[in-house]
PDB file of all heavy atoms in Angstrom:
ATOM      1  N   VAL A   2     121.283 124.152-195.218  1.00 98.00           N
ATOM      2  CA  VAL A   2     122.129 125.027-194.401  1.00 98.00           C
ATOM      3  C   VAL A   2     121.556 125.162-193.000  1.00 98.00           C
ATOM      4  O   VAL A   2     122.277 125.054-192.000  1.00 98.00           O
ATOM      5  CB  VAL A   2     122.267 126.420-195.053  1.00 98.00           C
ATOM      6  CG1 VAL A   2     122.918 127.411-194.088  1.00 98.00           C
ATOM      7  CG2 VAL A   2     123.094 126.323-196.327  1.00 98.00           C
ATOM      8  N   VAL A   3     120.241 125.393-192.917  1.00 98.00           N
ATOM      9  CA  VAL A   3     119.597 125.529-191.612  1.00 98.00           C
ATOM     10  C   VAL A   3     119.738 124.242-190.807  1.00 98.00           C
ATOM     11  O   VAL A   3     120.070 124.268-189.613  1.00 98.00           O
ATOM     12  CB  VAL A   3     118.117 125.914-191.771  1.00 98.00           C
ATOM     13  CG1 VAL A   3     117.383 125.819-190.430  1.00 98.00           C
ATOM     14  CG2 VAL A   3     117.994 127.328-192.338  1.00 98.00           C
ATOM     15  N   ALA A   4     119.503 123.111-191.455  1.00 98.00           N
ATOM     16  CA  ALA A   4     119.592 121.829-190.757  1.00 98.00           C
ATOM     17  C   ALA A   4     121.007 121.588-190.237  1.00 98.00           C
ATOM     18  O   ALA A   4     121.202 121.099-189.119  1.00 98.00           O
ATOM     19  CB  ALA A   4     119.172 120.689-191.685  1.00 98.00           C
ATOM     20  N   GLU A   5     122.018 121.937-191.038  1.00 98.00           N
ATOM     21  CA  GLU A   5     123.403 121.750-190.620  1.00 98.00           C
ATOM     22  C   GLU A   5     123.753 122.678-189.460  1.00 98.00           C
ATOM     23  O   GLU A   5     124.433 122.269-188.510  1.00 98.00           O
ATOM     24  CB  GLU A   5     124.340 122.013-191.798  1.00 98.00           C
ATOM     25  CG  GLU A   5     125.818 121.842-191.488  1.00 98.00           C
ATOM     26  CD  GLU A   5     126.199 120.415-191.134  1.00 98.00           C
ATOM     27  OE1 GLU A   5     125.404 119.487-191.404  1.00 98.00           O
ATOM     28  OE2 GLU A   5     127.307 120.224-190.585  1.00 98.00           O
ATOM     29  N   MET A   6     123.290 123.917-189.526  1.00 98.00           N
ATOM     30  CA  MET A   6     123.526 124.849-188.418  1.00 98.00           C
ATOM     31  C   MET A   6     122.894 124.332-187.135  1.00 98.00           C
ATOM     32  O   MET A   6     123.510 124.334-186.069  1.00 98.00           O
ATOM     33  CB  MET A   6     122.964 126.225-188.760  1.00 98.00           C
ATOM     34  CG  MET A   6     123.734 126.986-189.819  1.00 98.00           C
ATOM     35  SD  MET A   6     122.959 128.586-190.224  1.00 98.00           S
ATOM     36  CE  MET A   6     123.189 129.482-188.662  1.00 98.00           C
ATOM     37  N   GLN A   7     121.636 123.887-187.242  1.00 98.00           N
ATOM     38  CA  GLN A   7     120.936 123.373-186.062  1.00 98.00           C
ATOM     39  C   GLN A   7     121.657 122.167-185.489  1.00 98.00           C
ATOM     40  O   GLN A   7     121.823 122.051-184.263  1.00 98.00           O
ATOM     41  CB  GLN A   7     119.499 123.007-186.438  1.00 98.00           C
ATOM     42  CG  GLN A   7     118.619 124.207-186.754  1.00 98.00           C
ATOM     43  CD  GLN A   7     117.248 123.803-187.259  1.00 98.00           C
ATOM     44  OE1 GLN A   7     117.107 122.805-187.974  1.00 98.00           O
ATOM     45  NE2 GLN A   7     116.240 124.579-186.903  1.00 98.00           N
ATOM     46  N   SER A   8     122.110 121.276-186.345  1.00 98.00           N
ATOM     47  CA  SER A   8     122.798 120.072-185.888  1.00 98.00           C
ATOM     48  C   SER A   8     124.102 120.420-185.181  1.00 98.00           C
ATOM     49  O   SER A   8     124.410 119.878-184.102  1.00 98.00           O
ATOM     50  CB  SER A   8     123.069 119.158-187.084  1.00 98.00           C
ATOM     51  OG  SER A   8     123.845 118.046-186.706  1.00 98.00           O
ATOM     52  N   GLN A   9     124.876 121.330-185.767  1.00 98.00           N
ATOM     53  CA  GLN A   9     126.148 121.705-185.163  1.00 98.00           C
ATOM     54  C   GLN A   9     125.960 122.442-183.845  1.00 98.00           C
ATOM     55  O   GLN A   9     126.695 122.207-182.882  1.00 98.00           O
ATOM     56  CB  GLN A   9     126.942 122.572-186.144  1.00 98.00           C
ATOM     57  CG  GLN A   9     127.425 121.817-187.368  1.00 98.00           C
ATOM     58  CD  GLN A   9     128.274 122.683-188.286  1.00 98.00           C
ATOM     59  OE1 GLN A   9     128.651 123.795-187.946  1.00 98.00           O
ATOM     60  NE2 GLN A   9     128.577 122.169-189.469  1.00 98.00           N
ATOM     61  N   ILE A  10     124.979 123.320-183.792  1.00 97.00           N
ATOM     62  CA  ILE A  10     124.720 124.056-182.559  1.00 97.00           C
ATOM     63  C   ILE A  10     124.240 123.115-181.461  1.00 97.00           C
ATOM     64  O   ILE A  10     124.660 123.221-180.305  1.00 97.00           O
ATOM     65  CB  ILE A  10     123.712 125.192-182.801  1.00 97.00           C
ATOM     66  CG1 ILE A  10     124.382 126.296-183.639  1.00 97.00           C
ATOM     67  CG2 ILE A  10     123.199 125.768-181.482  1.00 97.00           C
ATOM     68  CD1 ILE A  10     123.447 127.409-184.052  1.00 97.00           C
ATOM     69  N   ASP A  11     123.367 122.182-181.818  1.00 97.00           N
ATOM     70  CA  ASP A  11     122.901 121.189-180.834  1.00 97.00           C
ATOM     71  C   ASP A  11     124.080 120.396-180.276  1.00 97.00           C
ATOM     72  O   ASP A  11     124.145 120.116-179.071  1.00 97.00           O
ATOM     73  CB  ASP A  11     121.891 120.241-181.472  1.00 97.00           C
ATOM     74  CG  ASP A  11     120.538 120.890-181.711  1.00 97.00           C
ATOM     75  OD1 ASP A  11     120.288 121.980-181.149  1.00 97.00           O
ATOM     76  OD2 ASP A  11     119.724 120.320-182.469  1.00 97.00           O
ATOM     77  N   ALA A  12     125.024 120.030-181.152  1.00 97.00           N
ATOM     78  CA  ALA A  12     126.184 119.258-180.713  1.00 97.00           C
ATOM     79  C   ALA A  12     127.080 120.091-179.796  1.00 97.00           C
ATOM     80  O   ALA A  12     127.610 119.584-178.797  1.00 97.00           O
ATOM     81  CB  ALA A  12     126.974 118.781-181.928  1.00 97.00           C
ATOM     82  N   ILE A  13     127.241 121.362-180.111  1.00 96.00           N
ATOM     83  CA  ILE A  13     128.054 122.245-179.274  1.00 96.00           C
ATOM     84  C   ILE A  13     127.460 122.351-177.872  1.00 96.00           C
ATOM     85  O   ILE A  13     128.167 122.227-176.863  1.00 96.00           O
ATOM     86  CB  ILE A  13     128.165 123.639-179.925  1.00 96.00           C
ATOM     87  CG1 ILE A  13     129.016 123.567-181.191  1.00 96.00           C
ATOM     88  CG2 ILE A  13     128.757 124.655-178.939  1.00 96.00           C
ATOM     89  CD1 ILE A  13     128.976 124.833-182.029  1.00 96.00           C
ATOM     90  N   ILE A  14     126.160 122.578-177.822  1.00 94.00           N
ATOM     91  CA  ILE A  14     125.490 122.729-176.529  1.00 94.00           C
ATOM     92  C   ILE A  14     125.531 121.425-175.730  1.00 94.00           C
ATOM     93  O   ILE A  14     125.728 121.426-174.510  1.00 94.00           O
ATOM     94  CB  ILE A  14     124.041 123.193-176.734  1.00 94.00           C
ATOM     95  CG1 ILE A  14     124.027 124.590-177.360  1.00 94.00           C
ATOM     96  CG2 ILE A  14     123.267 123.195-175.419  1.00 94.00           C
ATOM     97  CD1 ILE A  14     122.652 125.071-177.751  1.00 94.00           C
ATOM     98  N   ALA A  15     125.378 120.316-176.436  1.00 94.00           N
ATOM     99  CA  ALA A  15     125.369 119.018-175.752  1.00 94.00           C
ATOM    100  C   ALA A  15     126.732 118.662-175.166  1.00 94.00           C
ATOM    101  O   ALA A  15     126.812 117.867-174.222  1.00 94.00           O
ATOM    102  CB  ALA A  15     124.923 117.927-176.731  1.00 94.00           C
ATOM    103  N   ASN A  16     127.786 119.257-175.692  1.00 93.00           N
ATOM    104  CA  ASN A  16     129.143 118.910-175.253  1.00 93.00           C
ATOM    105  C   ASN A  16     129.705 119.843-174.201  1.00 93.00           C
ATOM    106  O   ASN A  16     130.913 119.805-173.917  1.00 93.00           O
ATOM    107  CB  ASN A  16     130.080 118.881-176.466  1.00 93.00           C
ATOM    108  CG  ASN A  16     129.868 117.646-177.324  1.00 93.00           C
ATOM    109  OD1 ASN A  16     129.573 116.571-176.809  1.00 93.00           O
ATOM    110  ND2 ASN A  16     129.992 117.804-178.625  1.00 93.00           N
ATOM    111  N   ILE A  17     128.853 120.672-173.628  1.00 92.00           N
ATOM    112  CA  ILE A  17     129.303 121.499-172.505  1.00 92.00           C
ATOM    113  C   ILE A  17     128.330 121.316-171.347  1.00 92.00           C
ATOM    114  O   ILE A  17     127.150 121.029-171.545  1.00 92.00           O
ATOM    115  CB  ILE A  17     129.398 122.996-172.880  1.00 92.00           C
ATOM    116  CG1 ILE A  17     128.038 123.533-173.349  1.00 92.00           C
ATOM    117  CG2 ILE A  17     130.457 123.239-173.926  1.00 92.00           C
ATOM    118  CD1 ILE A  17     128.052 125.022-173.620  1.00 92.00           C
ATOM    119  N   ASP A  18     128.856 121.475-170.150  1.00 88.00           N
ATOM    120  CA  ASP A  18     128.021 121.395-168.958  1.00 88.00           C
ATOM    121  C   ASP A  18     127.550 122.803-168.598  1.00 88.00           C
ATOM    122  O   ASP A  18     128.345 123.635-168.149  1.00 88.00           O
ATOM    123  CB  ASP A  18     128.801 120.789-167.784  1.00 88.00           C
ATOM    124  CG  ASP A  18     129.147 119.331-168.019  1.00 88.00           C
ATOM    125  OD1 ASP A  18     128.339 118.639-168.657  1.00 88.00           O
ATOM    126  OD2 ASP A  18     130.225 118.899-167.577  1.00 88.00           O
ATOM    127  N   LEU A  19     126.275 123.059-168.845  1.00 79.00           N
ATOM    128  CA  LEU A  19     125.746 124.375-168.527  1.00 79.00           C
ATOM    129  C   LEU A  19     125.644 124.533-167.013  1.00 79.00           C
ATOM    130  O   LEU A  19     125.050 123.689-166.333  1.00 79.00           O
ATOM    131  CB  LEU A  19     124.359 124.559-169.156  1.00 79.00           C
ATOM    132  CG  LEU A  19     124.316 124.510-170.689  1.00 79.00           C
ATOM    133  CD1 LEU A  19     122.889 124.715-171.184  1.00 79.00           C
ATOM    134  CD2 LEU A  19     125.224 125.558-171.291  1.00 79.00           C
ATOM    135  N   PRO A  20     126.231 125.561-166.452  1.00 76.00           N
ATOM    136  CA  PRO A  20     126.204 125.744-164.999  1.00 76.00           C
ATOM    137  C   PRO A  20     124.821 126.130-164.504  1.00 76.00           C
ATOM    138  O   PRO A  20     124.019 126.715-165.244  1.00 76.00           O
ATOM    139  CB  PRO A  20     127.203 126.884-164.778  1.00 76.00           C
ATOM    140  CG  PRO A  20     127.152 127.666-166.050  1.00 76.00           C
ATOM    141  CD  PRO A  20     126.954 126.647-167.139  1.00 76.00           C
ATOM    142  N   ASP A  21     124.516 125.773-163.267  1.00 80.00           N
ATOM    143  CA  ASP A  21     123.241 126.172-162.673  1.00 80.00           C
ATOM    144  C   ASP A  21     123.154 127.695-162.590  1.00 80.00           C
ATOM    145  O   ASP A  21     122.097 128.281-162.820  1.00 80.00           O
ATOM    146  CB  ASP A  21     123.088 125.554-161.276  1.00 80.00           C
ATOM    147  CG  ASP A  21     123.003 124.042-161.335  1.00 80.00           C
ATOM    148  OD1 ASP A  21     122.546 123.520-162.368  1.00 80.00           O
ATOM    149  OD2 ASP A  21     123.410 123.391-160.356  1.00 80.00           O
ATOM    150  N   GLU A  22     124.257 128.316-162.240  1.00 85.00           N
ATOM    151  CA  GLU A  22     124.342 129.773-162.181  1.00 85.00           C
ATOM    152  C   GLU A  22     125.027 130.246-163.458  1.00 85.00           C
ATOM    153  O   GLU A  22     126.171 129.877-163.724  1.00 85.00           O
ATOM    154  CB  GLU A  22     125.171 130.206-160.970  1.00 85.00           C
ATOM    155  CG  GLU A  22     125.139 131.694-160.697  1.00 85.00           C
ATOM    156  CD  GLU A  22     123.860 132.140-160.011  1.00 85.00           C
ATOM    157  OE1 GLU A  22     123.186 131.281-159.406  1.00 85.00           O
ATOM    158  OE2 GLU A  22     123.557 133.327-160.074  1.00 85.00           O
ATOM    159  N   PRO A  23     124.346 131.041-164.312  1.00 88.00           N
ATOM    160  CA  PRO A  23     124.942 131.443-165.589  1.00 88.00           C
ATOM    161  C   PRO A  23     126.306 132.110-165.425  1.00 88.00           C
ATOM    162  O   PRO A  23     126.520 132.911-164.510  1.00 88.00           O
ATOM    163  CB  PRO A  23     123.917 132.438-166.152  1.00 88.00           C
ATOM    164  CG  PRO A  23     122.630 132.075-165.490  1.00 88.00           C
ATOM    165  CD  PRO A  23     123.004 131.606-164.108  1.00 88.00           C
ATOM    166  N   LEU A  24     127.226 131.751-166.282  1.00 95.00           N
ATOM    167  CA  LEU A  24     128.500 132.437-166.323  1.00 95.00           C
ATOM    168  C   LEU A  24     128.291 133.836-166.899  1.00 95.00           C
ATOM    169  O   LEU A  24     127.398 134.047-167.725  1.00 95.00           O
ATOM    170  CB  LEU A  24     129.492 131.668-167.195  1.00 95.00           C
ATOM    171  CG  LEU A  24     129.894 130.263-166.717  1.00 95.00           C
ATOM    172  CD1 LEU A  24     130.725 129.570-167.787  1.00 95.00           C
ATOM    173  CD2 LEU A  24     130.669 130.347-165.416  1.00 95.00           C
ATOM    174  N   THR A  25     129.113 134.767-166.485  1.00 97.00           N
ATOM    175  CA  THR A  25     128.974 136.129-166.978  1.00 97.00           C
ATOM    176  C   THR A  25     130.078 136.438-167.989  1.00 97.00           C
ATOM    177  O   THR A  25     131.158 135.853-167.948  1.00 97.00           O
ATOM    178  CB  THR A  25     129.043 137.151-165.830  1.00 97.00           C
ATOM    179  OG1 THR A  25     130.288 136.999-165.143  1.00 97.00           O
ATOM    180  CG2 THR A  25     127.889 136.948-164.858  1.00 97.00           C
ATOM    181  N   TYR A  26     129.771 137.367-168.900  1.00 98.00           N
ATOM    182  CA  TYR A  26     130.753 137.742-169.911  1.00 98.00           C
ATOM    183  C   TYR A  26     130.749 139.238-170.146  1.00 98.00           C
ATOM    184  O   TYR A  26     129.774 139.943-169.863  1.00 98.00           O
ATOM    185  CB  TYR A  26     130.471 137.013-171.231  1.00 98.00           C
ATOM    186  CG  TYR A  26     129.224 137.500-171.952  1.00 98.00           C
ATOM    187  CD1 TYR A  26     129.263 138.568-172.852  1.00 98.00           C
ATOM    188  CD2 TYR A  26     127.994 136.889-171.733  1.00 98.00           C
ATOM    189  CE1 TYR A  26     128.121 139.006-173.506  1.00 98.00           C
ATOM    190  CE2 TYR A  26     126.859 137.317-172.375  1.00 98.00           C
ATOM    191  CZ  TYR A  26     126.924 138.376-173.267  1.00 98.00           C
ATOM    192  OH  TYR A  26     125.785 138.816-173.905  1.00 98.00           O
ATOM    193  N   TYR A  27     131.873 139.700-170.670  1.00 98.00           N
ATOM    194  CA  TYR A  27     132.010 141.064-171.161  1.00 98.00           C
ATOM    195  C   TYR A  27     132.448 140.967-172.609  1.00 98.00           C
ATOM    196  O   TYR A  27     133.521 140.456-172.918  1.00 98.00           O
ATOM    197  CB  TYR A  27     133.025 141.846-170.328  1.00 98.00           C
ATOM    198  CG  TYR A  27     133.525 143.122-170.990  1.00 98.00           C
ATOM    199  CD1 TYR A  27     132.648 144.159-171.296  1.00 98.00           C
ATOM    200  CD2 TYR A  27     134.873 143.273-171.312  1.00 98.00           C
ATOM    201  CE1 TYR A  27     133.106 145.318-171.919  1.00 98.00           C
ATOM    202  CE2 TYR A  27     135.338 144.431-171.920  1.00 98.00           C
ATOM    203  CZ  TYR A  27     134.456 145.449-172.224  1.00 98.00           C
ATOM    204  OH  TYR A  27     134.902 146.601-172.834  1.00 98.00           O
ATOM    205  N   HIS A  28     131.610 141.428-173.527  1.00 98.00           N
ATOM    206  CA  HIS A  28     131.890 141.400-174.960  1.00 98.00           C
ATOM    207  C   HIS A  28     132.306 142.810-175.365  1.00 98.00           C
ATOM    208  O   HIS A  28     131.493 143.732-175.353  1.00 98.00           O
ATOM    209  CB  HIS A  28     130.630 140.956-175.729  1.00 98.00           C
ATOM    210  CG  HIS A  28     130.773 140.961-177.218  1.00 98.00           C
ATOM    211  ND1 HIS A  28     130.854 139.805-177.955  1.00 98.00           N
ATOM    212  CD2 HIS A  28     130.827 141.975-178.125  1.00 98.00           C
ATOM    213  CE1 HIS A  28     130.951 140.099-179.239  1.00 98.00           C
ATOM    214  NE2 HIS A  28     130.936 141.419-179.368  1.00 98.00           N
ATOM    215  N   GLU A  29     133.558 142.975-175.733  1.00 98.00           N
ATOM    216  CA  GLU A  29     134.081 144.308-176.019  1.00 98.00           C
ATOM    217  C   GLU A  29     133.987 144.638-177.509  1.00 98.00           C
ATOM    218  O   GLU A  29     134.602 143.991-178.349  1.00 98.00           O
ATOM    219  CB  GLU A  29     135.537 144.408-175.551  1.00 98.00           C
ATOM    220  CG  GLU A  29     136.140 145.800-175.720  1.00 98.00           C
ATOM    221  CD  GLU A  29     137.457 145.942-175.000  1.00 98.00           C
ATOM    222  OE1 GLU A  29     137.430 146.025-173.739  1.00 98.00           O
ATOM    223  OE2 GLU A  29     138.514 145.942-175.671  1.00 98.00           O
ATOM    224  N   LEU A  30     133.203 145.681-177.809  1.00 97.00           N
ATOM    225  CA  LEU A  30     133.066 146.137-179.189  1.00 97.00           C
ATOM    226  C   LEU A  30     134.170 147.115-179.576  1.00 97.00           C
ATOM    227  O   LEU A  30     134.633 147.122-180.718  1.00 97.00           O
ATOM    228  CB  LEU A  30     131.711 146.816-179.390  1.00 97.00           C
ATOM    229  CG  LEU A  30     130.472 145.921-179.318  1.00 97.00           C
ATOM    230  CD1 LEU A  30     129.213 146.774-179.365  1.00 97.00           C
ATOM    231  CD2 LEU A  30     130.471 144.906-180.452  1.00 97.00           C
ATOM    232  N   THR A  31     134.550 147.965-178.646  1.00 97.00           N
ATOM    233  CA  THR A  31     135.575 148.980-178.888  1.00 97.00           C
ATOM    234  C   THR A  31     136.450 149.123-177.650  1.00 97.00           C
ATOM    235  O   THR A  31     136.016 148.778-176.546  1.00 97.00           O
ATOM    236  CB  THR A  31     134.932 150.354-179.195  1.00 97.00           C
ATOM    237  OG1 THR A  31     134.140 150.762-178.071  1.00 97.00           O
ATOM    238  CG2 THR A  31     134.054 150.283-180.435  1.00 97.00           C
ATOM    239  N   PRO A  32     137.659 149.643-177.793  1.00 97.00           N
ATOM    240  CA  PRO A  32     138.549 149.774-176.636  1.00 97.00           C
ATOM    241  C   PRO A  32     138.059 150.746-175.578  1.00 97.00           C
ATOM    242  O   PRO A  32     138.610 150.778-174.471  1.00 97.00           O
ATOM    243  CB  PRO A  32     139.866 150.281-177.261  1.00 97.00           C
ATOM    244  CG  PRO A  32     139.787 149.892-178.689  1.00 97.00           C
ATOM    245  CD  PRO A  32     138.342 149.999-179.054  1.00 97.00           C
ATOM    246  N   ASP A  33     137.028 151.549-175.919  1.00 97.00           N
ATOM    247  CA  ASP A  33     136.474 152.445-174.905  1.00 97.00           C
ATOM    248  C   ASP A  33     135.226 151.837-174.263  1.00 97.00           C
ATOM    249  O   ASP A  33     134.345 152.549-173.795  1.00 97.00           O
ATOM    250  CB  ASP A  33     136.204 153.842-175.459  1.00 97.00           C
ATOM    251  CG  ASP A  33     135.444 153.829-176.765  1.00 97.00           C
ATOM    252  OD1 ASP A  33     135.210 152.732-177.300  1.00 97.00           O
ATOM    253  OD2 ASP A  33     135.085 154.914-177.265  1.00 97.00           O
ATOM    254  N   TYR A  34     135.179 150.504-174.273  1.00 98.00           N
ATOM    255  CA  TYR A  34     134.276 149.722-173.423  1.00 98.00           C
ATOM    256  C   TYR A  34     132.809 149.724-173.843  1.00 98.00           C
ATOM    257  O   TYR A  34     131.926 149.522-173.012  1.00 98.00           O
ATOM    258  CB  TYR A  34     134.406 150.161-171.949  1.00 98.00           C
ATOM    259  CG  TYR A  34     135.825 150.285-171.496  1.00 98.00           C
ATOM    260  CD1 TYR A  34     136.331 151.485-171.013  1.00 98.00           C
ATOM    261  CD2 TYR A  34     136.700 149.193-171.588  1.00 98.00           C
ATOM    262  CE1 TYR A  34     137.660 151.604-170.624  1.00 98.00           C
ATOM    263  CE2 TYR A  34     138.020 149.299-171.204  1.00 98.00           C
ATOM    264  CZ  TYR A  34     138.508 150.508-170.717  1.00 98.00           C
ATOM    265  OH  TYR A  34     139.816 150.609-170.343  1.00 98.00           O
ATOM    266  N   TYR A  35     132.525 149.942-175.134  1.00 97.00           N
ATOM    267  CA  TYR A  35     131.166 149.662-175.606  1.00 97.00           C
ATOM    268  C   TYR A  35     130.992 148.153-175.647  1.00 97.00           C
ATOM    269  O   TYR A  35     131.914 147.410-176.003  1.00 97.00           O
ATOM    270  CB  TYR A  35     130.930 150.273-176.987  1.00 97.00           C
ATOM    271  CG  TYR A  35     130.600 151.741-176.939  1.00 97.00           C
ATOM    272  CD1 TYR A  35     131.545 152.704-177.275  1.00 97.00           C
ATOM    273  CD2 TYR A  35     129.327 152.168-176.543  1.00 97.00           C
ATOM    274  CE1 TYR A  35     131.252 154.048-177.211  1.00 97.00           C
ATOM    275  CE2 TYR A  35     129.022 153.521-176.482  1.00 97.00           C
ATOM    276  CZ  TYR A  35     129.989 154.451-176.815  1.00 97.00           C
ATOM    277  OH  TYR A  35     129.681 155.786-176.757  1.00 97.00           O
TER     278      TYR A  35
END
């Protein structure tokens, strides 16, 4: 399971171009902005 997770995650990361300047995100837990 660990090996499969590592392999899939490595493939995901390899298939995107990581920007020099990190992209920003807002992860909403609740509608009142936690």
Side-chain angles (χ1 to χ4, degrees):
V2 169
V3 170
E5 180 65 16
M6 289 177 67
Q7 291 174 324
S8 174
Q9 292 183 9
I10 289 175
D11 287 346
I13 291 170
I14 295 173
N16 285 325
I17 59 175
D18 293 326
L19 297 180
D21 295 332
E22 189 78 21
L24 296 172
T25 58
Y26 71 88
Y27 163 62
H28 177 108
E29 184 168 287
L30 292 173
T31 60
D33 49 355
Y34 313 121
Y35 279 104

